[in-house]
Amino acid sequence: MTIRQAVAALATLAALVPATIAQTPEPSSLAEFIRRTYTKFEYRIPMRDGVHLYTAVYTPNHAAEPLPFLMIRTPYACRPYGPDRYRRTLGPSEAFARDGYIFVYQDVRGRYQSEGVFVNMRPHQPVKHGPTDVDESTDTHDTIAWLLENVPGHNGRVGMWGISYPGFYCAAGVIDSHPALRAASPQAPIADWFVGDDMHHHGAFILPLAFNFFSSFGQPHHNPTTTRGERFDHGTKDGYQFFLDLGPLRNANERHFRGEIAFWNEVVAHPNYDEFWQSRNILPHLNNVGCAVMVVGGWYDTEDLYGPLSIYRSIEQRNPDAWNVLVMGPWSHGGWTRTRGRTLGTEDFGFDTSAGYDEHVAVPFFRHFLKDDAAPEVPEALVFETGANRWRSFDAWPPHERVEHALHFRAGGLLSPEAPVTGGEAFDDYVSDPSKPVPYTTEITTRWAKNYMTEDQRFAAWRPDVLVYQTEPLTEDLTLAGPIRADLWVSTTGSAADWIVKVIDAHPGENPNDADDADWPGHRQRLVRAEVMRGRFRNGYVTPEPFTPDEVTPVSFELRDVLHTFKRGHRLMVQVQSTWFPFVDRNPQRYVPNIFEATEDDFITATHRVHRTRAYPSRIVFGALPTVAPAPAARR
């Protein structure tokens, strides 16, 4: 009996059994339930260019009616391999496994058990001249076509999902959507590795993420394989000291990688936003989206906050008739499936936000579009409001009702809605020493501190190389919604510099609601949003420019979106600095064409100035929601 005949026989048997997945006796263990309830098949699915992709399909044994496919495509291995070895979970959560789908797991080309050559963030080809012109969109299309033709027991509908890198493959799969693809949920997806995701923020290199990720993921292997690269041994738990001791980035190959990490070598060879990076930007290609899309992200996602916000906006702009919604919760990277979503670091959001998302958002979304269940009560934008700790619904993101405001840097560390009126020279300055960079966290770790995005910033405010500005205590609540922009006027004694701007919720010394609250975090400086701009890219990422020493120069850049309420009695604080280590690699502060080739001699101490005059009004610009509540958002 062939595999296909076996699956057909199984489907015939299922049709004779008047039972559903939900009626099957449920063992207490999810892994045991999956083993009893699903049959696993392994296929090598041919693509249009002849490459075969390993695909594992888990089919329910007893289904009262045809079921939809729910697929994920991943570069991280569809373990465990072998028809007798089963996954311990299926789908985005336990609820999906018990609800019943035909689950599909696929190794993308060139990874693990799939044939072909792996290409990181494989560029999309909008024009295809023949069967050898392939990308992630065509691989998704060919996979769906094969499943529909060869796997029985389905209802002709397909859903996709994925978190992080698999989120990118999900987003790529909606381009020129296969007609059977009805619902897709890119979650924490990568969009652009130079501008905002994982490896760069505004061109600044995100050191621990890129170094640690590619030291294992980037190790060469030959297909087929079931083994992954060994995790890099730093020899210490102190990432700050490890990366400081590493010295210039040119030492990474000499001391550790030995030239064997191909993508690291490509990163080094492409320090600017050239065709190599531009071709890996998925945002311009999100066209002809014919399925419903629900983009999911977390406000505290260290790796991919830019991706979900940008992919949602791109689909919205390029596909005005698409069913396209955004969900942003108080989560770290993938926290909606990996945590209860109640706490992050010392921050407590008051309830388990992940459970509500799963029950009321994710499950109804797929059930509606794949199983004709009731329409999900999901607004255009379902967004968690930090500071107030509540979910909000909006008709658009950013909300239409936001009103633009500006807070200007003034003398004495004041943030004021009033622009400076003084002429002449007025500035604040600090000495930036690359040998003593400002840490981004107090946590001792060689990876990245997932809790740093809510961390108390007093450890930075106390340093002489960090400028601090703040408002007077607020007389009423202030809710920021959408992106924040920093407009700086700066000068430096060097010829290169980075600029980090942090927006902070500064708590009062005493709890205004309970004077006896012993747990009140008095004077806490809670990070709300922070971003870095590599100064050489201030006028564009393609052609870097040095600074002219001591010349006042505008540097303007966007901080990622927020929905945060600064409560009455709190202050809105801004910190400005030029190192943020080792989250961001150290800028030598002497301009070199390629920072990856800088030597020890290029790292110099420089004095940086932030100007605040009528001619040079440094400020932050943001949208705030009116104090009067808007009408309820329409449900999709």
Side-chain angles (χ1 to χ4, degrees):
M1 178 181 291
T2 66
I3 291 179
R4 184 175 179 182
Q5 288 171 330
V7 178
L10 182 64
T12 301
L13 175 62
L16 299 175
V17 179
T20 66
I21 293 294
Q23 294 169 333
T24 303
E26 297 185 359
S28 58
S29 164
L30 177 60
E32 183 181 351
F33 169 78
I34 291 171
R35 188 62 188 247
R36 290 186 182 182
T37 309
Y38 289 85
T39 297
K40 177 185 178 183
F41 298 92
E42 294 182 311
Y43 303 107
R44 307 280 176 175
I45 298 182
M47 301 294 103
R48 63 189 63 186
D49 62 346
V51 169
H52 291 76
L53 304 188
Y54 169 88
T55 309
V57 177
Y58 293 79
T59 301
N61 296 331
H62 307 297
E65 58 187 11
L67 295 173
F69 294 101
L70 190 55
M71 178 170 67
I72 183 171
R73 305 184 65 242
T74 178
Y76 296 136
C78 295
R79 286 190 177 88
Y81 296 104
D84 61 332
R85 304 184 65 199
Y86 279 55
R87 297 181 60 86
R88 300 182 63 83
T89 61
L90 288 175
S93 70
E94 179 174 345
F96 286 86
R98 297 190 183 278
D99 196 25
Y101 291 84
I102 303 173
F103 293 98
V104 179
Y105 288 81
Q106 184 176 78
D107 288 336
V108 298
R109 62 171 61 216
R111 294 296 291 178
Y112 294 94
Q113 287 289 300
S114 285
E115 298 173 354
V117 177
F118 176 70
V119 177
N120 270 296
M121 293 285 289
R122 183 182 299 276
H124 180 76
Q125 300 188 47
V127 178
K128 299 174 175 65
H129 300 286
T132 59
D133 290 336
V134 296
D135 52 34
E136 303 308 336
S137 174
T138 65
D139 282 357
T140 301
H141 189 284
D142 294 350
T143 298
I144 291 174
W146 191 93
L147 292 170
L148 294 173
E149 177 67 23
N150 292 277
V151 177
H154 63 78
N155 67 358
R157 300 182 185 184
V158 180
M160 286 187 68
W161 69 286
I163 299 174
S164 193
Y165 215 148
F168 158 76
Y169 290 106
C170 181
V174 307
I175 301 171
D176 301 323
S177 309
H178 189 288
L181 182 62
R182 300 294 186 88
S185 183
Q187 303 178 9
I190 305 166
D192 189 321
W193 259 353
F194 194 88
V195 175
D197 288 312
D198 283 320
M199 290 197 297
H200 299 88
H201 284 204
H202 292 301
F205 192 57
I206 308 303
L207 184 52
L209 276 76
F211 183 98
N212 294 340
F213 178 69
F214 284 108
S215 64
S216 57
F217 181 83
Q219 292 176 22
H221 70 262
H222 302 285
N223 293 58
T225 184
T226 60
T227 60
R228 63 183 62 181
E230 295 182 4
R231 177 167 290 186
F232 182 82
D233 182 6
H234 297 79
T236 177
K237 294 182 178 180
D238 190 341
Y240 183 98
Q241 193 63 48
F242 172 83
F243 287 110
L244 194 61
D245 292 342
L246 174 65
L249 292 178
R250 64 186 299 159
N251 293 338
N253 258 330
E254 179 182 343
R255 298 183 184 180
H256 301 293
F257 296 159
R258 312 299 181 191
E260 296 177 354
I261 307 299
F263 199 74
W264 179 273
N265 298 334
E266 291 178 308
V267 170
V268 170
H270 299 277
N272 307 321
Y273 197 49
D274 58 13
E275 175 60 22
F276 177 83
W277 294 111
Q278 293 173 31
S279 68
R280 285 164 169 76
N281 175 10
I282 195 176
L283 299 176
H285 305 295
L286 291 166
N287 301 313
N288 302 319
V289 176
C291 63
V293 180
M294 182 174 70
V295 183
V296 181
W299 286 135
Y300 305 116
D301 189 337
T302 301
E303 293 97 313
D304 298 305
L305 177 59
Y306 174 84
L309 294 168
S310 301
I311 285 175
Y312 164 76
R313 288 170 184 159
S314 180
I315 293 177
E316 198 75 2
Q317 293 166 2
R318 295 173 174 278
N319 306 268
D321 295 328
W323 198 102
N324 176 47
V325 299
L326 176 69
V327 179
M328 295 295 296
W331 303 307
S332 59
H333 193 59
W336 47 97
T337 63
R338 300 166 184 169
T339 72
R340 295 172 62 185
R342 175 166 185 139
T343 62
L344 185 74
T346 58
E347 196 62 34
D348 189 328
F349 305 114
F351 59 100
D352 293 347
T353 61
S354 298
Y357 156 79
D358 202 47
E359 178 182 357
H360 300 295
V361 181
V363 171
F365 168 73
F366 281 109
R367 283 191 60 87
H368 172 66
F369 289 104
L370 300 182
K371 296 186 174 184
D372 288 328
D373 205 355
E377 295 187 359
V378 180
E380 177 69 23
L382 178 63
V383 183
F384 193 86
E385 180 183 343
T386 58
N389 293 343
R390 58 193 177 191
W391 287 101
R392 299 285 298 274
S393 297
F394 298 98
D395 290 328
W397 187 263
H400 293 308
E401 57 267 30
R402 65 197 291 265
V403 178
E404 186 171 285
H405 297 268
L407 289 174
H408 298 82
F409 300 179
R410 303 294 299 272
L414 178 67
L415 270 182
S416 171
E418 298 179 359
V421 295
T422 57
E425 284 195 326
F427 57 82
D428 300 298
D429 62 5
Y430 56 93
V431 176
S432 177
D433 184 353
S435 69
K436 299 177 182 178
V438 180
Y440 80 100
T441 180
T442 59
E443 184 177 343
I444 304 300
T445 177
T446 55
R447 298 184 65 77
W448 52 89
K450 292 186 180 296
N451 297 331
Y452 90 90
M453 296 185 81
T454 62
E455 195 168 356
D456 191 330
Q457 296 299 301
R458 280 178 286 188
F459 73 91
W462 295 331
R463 290 183 54 121
D465 49 357
V466 177
L467 300 180
V468 179
Y469 304 90
Q470 60 183 331
T471 65
E472 297 291 350
L474 298 173
T475 58
E476 60 182 21
D477 292 355
L478 174 65
T479 302
L480 274 60
I484 303 169
R485 190 178 76 247
D487 294 335
L488 305 182
W489 290 89
V490 302
S491 61
T492 174
T493 58
S495 53
D498 292 341
W499 305 95
I500 294 97
V501 173
K502 298 185 292 190
V503 174
I504 293 162
D505 188 339
H507 291 60
E510 295 182 357
N511 187 345
N513 299 316
D514 185 356
D516 297 325
D517 185 356
D519 296 325
W520 175 253
H523 299 295
R524 179 188 176 200
Q525 298 176 10
R526 173 192 173 182
L527 185 62
V528 173
R529 183 64 72 235
E531 194 53 272
V532 56
M533 181 73 201
R534 179 134 285 172
R536 65 177 56 213
F537 298 121
R538 64 192 179 277
N539 293 320
Y541 302 114
V542 176
T543 305
E545 302 175 45
F547 286 97
T548 300
D550 298 318
E551 181 178 290
V552 181
T553 306
V555 175
S556 182
F557 59 99
E558 183 181 288
L559 284 68
R560 307 306 168 211
D561 298 26
V562 301
L563 181 63
H564 181 84
T565 291
F566 296 78
K567 295 180 180 179
R568 179 173 58 86
H570 291 214
R571 299 171 188 255
L572 191 156
M573 176 184 286
V574 170
Q575 293 180 6
V576 181
Q577 59 201 61
S578 289
T579 51
W580 202 24
F581 192 73
F583 189 74
V584 174
D585 71 307
R586 298 175 303 144
N587 194 315
Q589 302 190 149
R590 173 182 287 135
Y591 182 83
V592 293
N594 186 342
I595 284 184
F596 292 95
E597 297 177 353
T599 67
E600 290 283 4
D601 293 339
D602 294 317
F603 287 79
I604 62 172
T605 297
T607 298
H608 301 325
R609 290 178 173 178
V610 176
H611 298 259
R612 43 175 177 76
T613 64
R614 182 173 56 221
Y616 307 129
S618 295
R619 62 182 186 169
I620 62 165
V621 181
F622 56 86
L625 295 181
T627 54
V628 177
R635 300 287 175 170
R636 292 299 298 263

